[in-house]
Amino acid sequence: MRLIDYFDSGRALHADRPFLVFDHDHVTYREADEQITAVAERLVADLGPSSAVAVLSPNDPTAFLCVLGIARAEQIWVPVNARATIAETTQVLRTSECELLFVHPMFASAAGQLLADLPSLKAVVVAGDGAAGESAVPLAEWLAGPKAAVPEASSDPHRTAVLGFTGGTTGTPKGVMLSDLTFETMTATVLATVQFSAPPTYLAAAPLTHAAGALAFPIMALGGTIVVLGVPSPPAIFEAIETHRVDTIFLPPTLIYMLLDAPSRADHDLSSVRHFLYAAAPISPTRLVEAMEVFGPVMVQLYGQTEAPMICTALTAAEHTRALDENAVHRLSSAGRATPFVRLAILDSDGEPVPQGERGEVCVRGNLVMTGYFREPEETERSKHGAWHRTGDIGYLDEDGYLYLVDRSKDVIISGGFNVYSAEVERVVAEHPGVADCVVVGAPDAHWGEIVTAVVELRPGAALTEDELVAFCRDRLSGVKTPKRVEIREALPRTSVGKILKREVREEFWADHDRSI
């Protein structure tokens, strides 16, 4: 199964059912197929086989149709975070050797700079209504160019279909090669675990560049409808659920908290929700119980990562209910149990299994795992223990096979559902002339789960305020990566050889807080 095959399955089942719903309009599977094929035929005429094609857009139906056009052309989809800075976007496009970029009109003004900075980039196409500027090409104009027949289905299940990007311990983004087989395994796992009523109506409120987009493929396989929400505010989410009788939704805990605290919640009928999936950040068990009271026994937790997308483990709706019925609320702090097509183990630094209940690195194997990091064979090898993929997360298994995540060996901060790699932020903080050394950790926050926190040691004689350092970082990092909290200290804790004790700094912030991930 290729990415486009899930759409084609849905079209075969329900050709005239609404496929994408947006604002007060919709496009059916039959109508979408025409647009998707037009994009694909144009891509095949313009680019060589398996070229990298990126999409830079907030949630938008036209942008998602372009994603499926990339899939039909058997090109490589490169998702780009719409909240990234131009510098960060440029890095992703350069590393992926991107040849064509679809952008939402709001990013059209950056086309000239991107084309100048990236020799591999042949064109920037504006996917949507709005001014294209001098350097970008409107979608309609681009589609009027030469076309070629789309290729026959590839016979290679390991063909790279998606090149997703994640940071590393060095802060340098790495391209994660995800094959058609990876997505087939992910789709099968979601369908086996969640067991949707067919065809579902799914609210894509979280970014389609992240997990919300990955979940669209099992929805398409059933001929489901995807309600595309541009701005995921609580009122908009409530209205969409009520208007479209949404039965499936995915959100990070931050947005769940916002829904629970929204005054207008009681004004809407939310009874249509049957599957409320959440992932991507720590969640408070107390708030989770509250969510179950509001939405019913419909909560489903997913745990995965870019290298093993979406669903290595799951805590099903039935297991949420059972945890309360058996007075085992602590189980709501777990990440659930291994899903059907994934093997899970807790291994020590030598790759050997640790005894039950002991902490080690969470490792998984199966076709869900990436084929490797793009053009980084050494990093690919470091990510393995033999056949096992090393997630970089530290956890343990209880006697019933529930996974509890207790730390992240790669020092990833998850703030509002987005991964922030501390080394990347540390590199920027250290660029300030007044900073001698620094450490960046995630500190607990009731709203965001964690907030990026910089603890700084100044150079002798330097005068630097917290606000000044935040402003310095804001000019160089996207909003989610910019420190929300800065502490200036006389000296950072260090080992006898001078290495900063990062774990000690982190533990200071978490001393009086529960941390389930």
Side-chain angles (χ1 to χ4, degrees), residues 266-285:
D267 299 333
H268 296 274
D269 178 7
L270 309 176
S271 62
S272 62
V273 177
R274 294 288 178 267
H275 311 283
F276 198 135
L277 285 61
Y278 66 96
I283 190 165
S284 160

Side-chain angles (χ1 to χ4, degrees), residues 362-382:
V362 180
C363 296
V364 296
R365 63 180 174 86
N367 291 328
L368 186 69
V369 176
M370 67 174 182
T371 55
Y373 292 113
F374 183 61
R375 296 191 174 171
E376 295 197 51
E378 292 181 359
E379 285 293 330
T380 299
E381 204 53 40
R382 272 194 286 269

Side-chain angles (χ1 to χ4, degrees), residues 364-413:
V364 296
R365 63 180 174 86
N367 291 328
L368 186 69
V369 176
M370 67 174 182
T371 55
Y373 292 113
F374 183 61
R375 296 191 174 171
E376 295 197 51
E378 292 181 359
E379 285 293 330
T380 299
E381 204 53 40
R382 272 194 286 269
S383 72
K384 299 177 180 178
H385 271 316
W388 294 96
H389 167 68
R390 303 173 59 185
T391 67
D393 292 329
I394 304 301
Y396 65 91
L397 294 171
D398 69 11
E399 65 276 9
D400 296 312
Y402 287 93
L403 172 66
Y404 293 81
L405 300 166
V406 296
D407 204 352
R408 289 182 286 276
S409 64
K410 295 180 181 178
D411 296 321
V412 181
I413 301 164

Side-chain angles (χ1 to χ4, degrees), residues 71-238:
R72 190 173 295 291
E74 292 202 347
Q75 309 289 14
I76 301 170
W77 171 32
V78 181
V80 183
N81 186 351
R83 297 177 62 181
T85 65
I86 291 299
E88 292 164 334
T89 298
T90 301
Q91 180 64 47
V92 166
L93 300 180
R94 178 180 291 112
T95 302
S96 65
E97 301 172 359
C98 177
E99 295 188 35
L100 189 141
L101 171 65
F102 292 104
V103 298
H104 186 274
M106 67 188 294
F107 298 113
S109 61
Q113 180 181 339
L114 292 170
L115 287 164
D117 292 344
L118 298 165
S120 67
L121 189 61
K122 297 177 179 178
V124 176
V125 178
V126 178
D129 297 327
E134 297 180 359
S135 301
V137 182
L139 181 61
E141 180 181 325
W142 178 77
L143 287 174
K147 294 185 179 181
V150 297
E152 294 293 326
S154 170
S155 60
D156 180 12
H158 301 289
R159 179 192 72 90
T160 299
V162 179
L163 190 60
F165 274 81
T166 180
T169 54
T170 64
T172 303
K174 294 192 292 290
V176 178
M177 297 184 293
L178 301 174
S179 68
D180 284 321
L181 185 56
T182 296
F183 270 81
E184 179 177 272
T185 306
M186 184 207 72
T187 299
T189 305
V190 171
L191 293 173
T193 302
V194 182
Q195 299 181 350
F196 298 101
S197 298
T201 298
Y202 168 54
L203 178 60
L208 285 165
T209 53
H210 291 65
L215 279 170
F217 292 96
I219 300 296
M220 285 187 280
L222 300 175
T225 295
I226 301 171
V227 180
V228 181
L229 196 62
V231 180
S233 66
I237 291 173
F238 292 145

